[in-house]
């Protein structure tokens, strides 16, 4: 009797996990080849069609690259899956800006703390210099928003944690969209410039190696951002992002 679709899907998912575990166990780097379909079939004791289905699924999520006539190749991870998941998740809420910032906040707070603990003095000072340069474009909303995103990415990079860097990249487009609305709110309420002071407090704490101060400064900054997005969405009609 042929296997049911559910059983086949379950087996394919198991092989997907097994291939990912194989990549980790063998320490295969991006660009390196996996064993052949025949070898994987024998290794996992499944049919070649199941292996091909598993590889196709891994290709679809960007874990491996498939080329006709060649073994699958490990692909460098990027942030598109996080972005896709986040987009779908935010569609389920009436306050997508607040939800986005509430997800972002604890990671940004942790990034600031880790950056203060791990950044070398030269890199930390470069962060302060970057914030000082941001003051020169404070009147240009779009340019400042881009610089703001770059600053937060730089903080993530200083942690040495690639997952934080990937998350920062994954939410970049959505955060920029939010920042445009936040900037408009600041202009309406005479709040432009507050964010620059907050950024300087964060960068200064990181440069001094004061992890607690960096955490507090980022917590206050993200709290202010969440308050503004809440005010925006309380005023605006609720629509899907």
């Amino acid at each position: 009797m042929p296997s049911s679709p559910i059983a086949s899907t379950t087996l394919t998912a198991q092989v997907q996990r097994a291939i990912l575990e194989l990549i980790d166990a063998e320490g295969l780097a991006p660009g390196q080849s996996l064993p052949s379909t025949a070898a994987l079939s024998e290794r996992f004791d499944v049919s070649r069609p199941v292996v091909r289905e598993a590889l196709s699924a891994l290709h679809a999520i960007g874990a491996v690259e498939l080329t006709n006539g060649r073994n699958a190749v490990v692909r460098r991870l990027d942030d598109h899956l996080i972005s896709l998941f986040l987009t779908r998740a935010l569609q389920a809420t009436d306050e997508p800006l607040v939800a986005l910032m509430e997800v972002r906040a604890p990671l940004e707070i942790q990034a600031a703390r880790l950056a203060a603990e791990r950044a070398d003095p030269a890199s930390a000072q470069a962060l302060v210099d970057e914030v000082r340069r941001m003051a020169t474009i404070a009147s240009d909303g779009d340019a400042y928003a881009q610089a703001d995103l770059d600053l937060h990415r730089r903080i993530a990079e200083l942690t040495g944690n690639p997952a934080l860097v990937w998350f920062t990249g994954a939410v970049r487009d959505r955060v920029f969209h939010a920042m445009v609305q936040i900037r408009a709110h600041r202009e309406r309420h005479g709040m432009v410039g507050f964010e620059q002071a907050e950024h300087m407090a964060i960068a200064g704490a990181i440069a001094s190696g004061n992890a607690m101060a960096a955490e507090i400064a980022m917590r206050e900054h993200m709290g202010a951002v969440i308050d503004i997005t809440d005010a925006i969405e309380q005023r605006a009609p609720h629509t899907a992002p």
Side-chain angles (χ1 to χ4, degrees):
M1 177 183 295
S3 61
S4 69
I6 292 176
S8 177
T9 300
T10 300
L11 182 57
T12 300
Q14 290 174 353
V15 176
Q16 287 180 55
R17 290 193 295 272
I19 292 172
L20 291 174
E21 290 170 359
L22 172 64
I23 292 171
D24 289 340
E26 298 293 332
L28 297 179
Q32 290 188 297
S33 296
L34 286 163
S36 67
T37 300
L40 291 172
S41 173
E42 182 176 352
R43 182 184 186 116
F44 301 133
D45 193 24
V46 295
S47 68
R48 295 187 188 186
V50 169
V51 171
R52 285 194 286 269
E53 288 177 11
L55 289 172
S56 294
L58 292 174
H59 173 73
I61 65 172
V64 302
E65 193 68 42
L66 296 180
T67 305
N68 288 336
R70 296 181 56 190
N71 292 354
V73 172
V74 177
R75 183 176 175 182
R76 185 176 300 280
L77 293 178
D78 58 38
D79 54 36
H80 81 279
L81 283 179
I82 300 175
S83 181
L84 176 62
F85 173 81
L86 193 62
T87 297
R88 296 294 300 275
L90 292 177
Q91 289 174 347
T93 177
D94 290 333
E95 297 183 346
L97 294 181
V98 172
L100 172 62
M101 296 304 168
E102 287 178 344
V103 170
R104 181 181 171 225
L107 296 178
E108 293 286 359
I109 292 166
Q110 178 71 347
R113 182 182 186 89
L114 292 177
E117 293 174 347
R118 299 174 180 177
D120 62 83
S123 297
Q125 182 56 48
L127 192 72
V128 174
D129 295 340
E130 187 174 340
V131 176
R132 287 173 177 159
R133 286 192 294 272
M134 290 171 66
T136 67
I137 58 171
S139 61
D140 186 333
D142 286 353
Y144 192 90
Q146 291 289 354
D148 192 339
L149 289 169
D150 291 341
L151 176 69
H152 282 273
R153 181 177 179 84
R154 183 61 184 145
I155 292 171
E157 290 171 348
L158 291 177
T159 70
N161 184 327
L164 285 172
V165 177
W166 288 332
F167 179 82
T168 303
V171 301
R172 185 180 180 95
D173 289 345
R174 283 194 164 273
V175 172
F176 179 79
H177 172 71
M179 284 180 173
V180 170
Q181 297 179 67
I182 291 169
R183 173 64 180 227
H185 179 93
R186 290 185 186 278
E187 290 176 347
R188 285 193 302 269
H189 297 276
M191 299 169 64
V192 173
F194 291 7
E195 69 276 35
Q196 177 64 16
E198 293 164 5
H199 288 146
M200 185 54 73
I202 295 165
I206 291 173
S208 68
N210 190 330
M212 181 60 72
E215 177 180 332
I216 291 171
M218 183 65 83
R219 188 182 302 278
E220 291 177 350
H221 174 57
M222 293 307 301
V225 170
I226 290 172
D227 286 345
I228 291 175
T229 55
D230 183 58
I232 291 169
E233 292 187 319
Q234 289 298 322
R235 185 178 64 251
H238 288 167
T239 58

